[in-house]
Amino acid sequence: MVYFLKVALILCIPFFQKVTMANPIEVDVLFCTYDISDSASLKRIMAEFDQLNVTYKVLAFGKSVDVFHERPEFIKLDLPDVTWDREKKLGQEHLNLIKKTLKPRMVIAGMASATQAQVLNLFKGDGAYTIAFYDNFDAPENKEYIQEFLKIIGPIDEYFLPSQTTLTGFQKMDATKQAKLSVLGQPALEDWEEIFAKTNRDELSFRLNVDKGDKVILFVGGYDDTYKEYCRLFVKAMKAFENNPHIKIFVTYHPKTDGSLERGIIAEENATNIKVIDKNGPSTAEVATIANVLVCHKSSVGVQALYVGLPVVYVVKKGELNNFAIKQGLAGEVESEQDLVETLKRILTTANRNQAPVKGLGIPKEATENMVARVREVLRQ
């Protein structure tokens, strides 16, 4: 009799395994990421969840796969690569696979791709509480990278917004105005605060060959359609400082790229006074701790720099960037080489490092804490 029971159990094992594998993974929260920027912010929330026993998984697309692929929470599925194609959508078979694999009570997704909108729509229809996270400080109406998301997003539950200045745009857009709009801050700003607090500036200056009396210009790279034109404008303008050994110029490139564009333009223009920071070198925020001014094209890093007290200049066609910092006179806006040179000369004669942070940005403090508290509130309901 015992023998027959053992045989029966052995024969049943494959059946039990199939049933188990067919059951979706139940978690409190599913994060859906795409860009480096939404990943950096949402990682801070994940770290808090680790301490609070809130269960979560990460469904990553685009460059965010590189951020999360080694973490145990990463869900590895056979899905198409959408790294350079924000508008590419998942087929129904891929959506069915995601739904079959996961059963979250809540989904938090960035707004950088159509796939993230699809995932929110998918689980909203399955009864999950759905949240979209906007990680930028520009008005959303014409912000390029979220347009594919907005085209297909349905009536989800809530949007997490970084500042009061972005709220108005979300209140006006048909795709978003019916949802709950919560202004909670931007967790990435806390990264900058921490880096500015802990970086050894003397050691970093020595590494980068910056002397005590030197002035430092930091250019932060991007990758949108108009970036190349304005990167070249910056490089050409910097040749005006070639004969001044006490002005040091550094370039950091966007983590989605490899820096070849910037290096190529610098070589073509024979700009010998510009140094591109290598991938394994100090981060943009670390270099910013010894900078006197930060220059960028359309990067959200501009507001992050203002937040910690660094003067900022946007090199962009005037009126093209719907940016509250520019509108309120908190940051400069230039579109020609001559204007950039004159603006930087003026800033470098007056700006000291470690100035007081700019007031009136309308950005709540303790963003991570605010978001975690809101998530826990919803999960308790």
Side-chain angles (χ1 to χ4, degrees), residues 61-130:
F61 297 96
K63 290 298 289 185
S64 72
V65 173
D66 297 337
V67 178
F68 295 110
H69 74 280
E70 293 184 351
R71 292 181 61 133
E73 300 86 7
F74 175 73
I75 295 293
K76 186 176 182 180
L77 297 175
D78 186 16
L79 299 173
D81 183 6
V82 296
T83 302
W84 292 103
D85 193 354
R86 297 183 189 277
E87 66 182 24
K88 188 172 183 179
K89 300 180 183 66
L90 300 175
Q92 190 58 50
E93 69 277 14
H94 297 123
L95 294 173
N96 291 341
L97 174 61
I98 293 170
K99 192 171 181 178
K100 182 180 178 181
T101 305
L102 295 156
K103 188 175 179 58
R105 296 172 62 197
M106 173 185 289
V107 180
I108 303 176
M111 298 175 59
S113 66
T115 55
Q116 289 170 299
Q118 285 184 292
V119 170
L120 286 170
N121 291 340
L122 176 70
F123 286 109
K124 173 63 177 175
D126 204 32
Y129 192 88
T130 46

Side-chain angles (χ1 to χ4, degrees), residues 2 6 43 46 65 88 92 94 128 143 164 183 191 194 231 233 246 258-259 343:
V2 173
K6 285 182 177 179
K43 274 177 67 177
M46 296 175 200
V65 173
K88 188 172 183 179
Q92 190 58 50
H94 297 123
K143 194 64 185 171
Q164 289 293 333
V183 179
D191 289 336
E194 291 173 4
C231 177
L233 185 153
H246 298 296
D258 61 4
T343 299

Side-chain angles (χ1 to χ4, degrees), residues 319-335:
E320 184 177 344
L321 188 58
N322 194 356
N323 181 294
F324 78 95
I326 294 172
K327 288 182 176 179
Q328 296 181 18
L330 302 174
E333 179 188 36
V334 299
E335 63 178 359

Side-chain angles (χ1 to χ4, degrees), residues 218-376:
L218 170 61
F219 179 79
V220 179
Y223 62 90
D224 71 6
D225 292 342
T226 56
Y227 169 68
K228 183 176 181 179
E229 173 187 354
Y230 287 94
C231 177
R232 187 176 298 277
L233 185 153
F234 171 81
V235 170
K236 292 172 74 172
M238 293 306 96
K239 292 172 69 70
F241 299 108
E242 277 185 322
N243 294 325
N244 190 334
H246 298 296
I247 294 181
K248 303 294 173 64
I249 304 165
F250 299 103
V251 170
T252 60
Y253 50 88
H254 193 279
K256 198 170 183 176
T257 70
D258 61 4
S260 59
L261 172 64
E262 290 82 358
R263 291 189 180 92
I265 291 174
I266 291 169
E268 289 168 11
E269 299 297 337
N270 194 27
T272 58
N273 59 334
I274 301 176
K275 175 180 173 57
V276 177
I277 301 294
D278 293 330
K279 182 178 181 180
N280 296 325
S283 68
T284 294
E286 287 173 324
V287 180
T289 64
I290 63 169
N292 297 91
V293 60
L294 182 142
V295 184
C296 62
H297 178 41
K298 297 179 182 178
S299 175
S300 59
V301 166
V303 174
Q304 294 170 4
L306 284 173
Y307 189 78
V308 293
L310 190 61
V312 172
V313 179
Y314 289 91
V315 185
V316 65
K317 183 178 179 180
K318 289 194 176 180
E320 184 177 344
L321 188 58
N322 194 356
N323 181 294
F324 78 95
I326 294 172
K327 288 182 176 179
Q328 296 181 18
L330 302 174
E333 179 188 36
V334 299
E335 63 178 359
S336 72
E337 294 174 41
Q338 188 59 39
D339 284 347
L340 178 57
V341 172
E342 291 177 0
T343 299
L344 291 177
K345 284 181 177 178
R346 184 172 65 253
I347 291 174
L348 293 177
T349 58
T350 59
N352 295 314
R353 293 174 191 150
N354 307 321
Q355 297 182 134
V358 172
K359 303 296 183 183
L361 294 179
I363 304 171
K365 293 279 190 178
E366 300 174 342
T368 301
E369 184 178 322
N370 297 339
M371 292 183 184
V372 170
R374 175 60 187 151
V375 169
R376 295 185 75 193

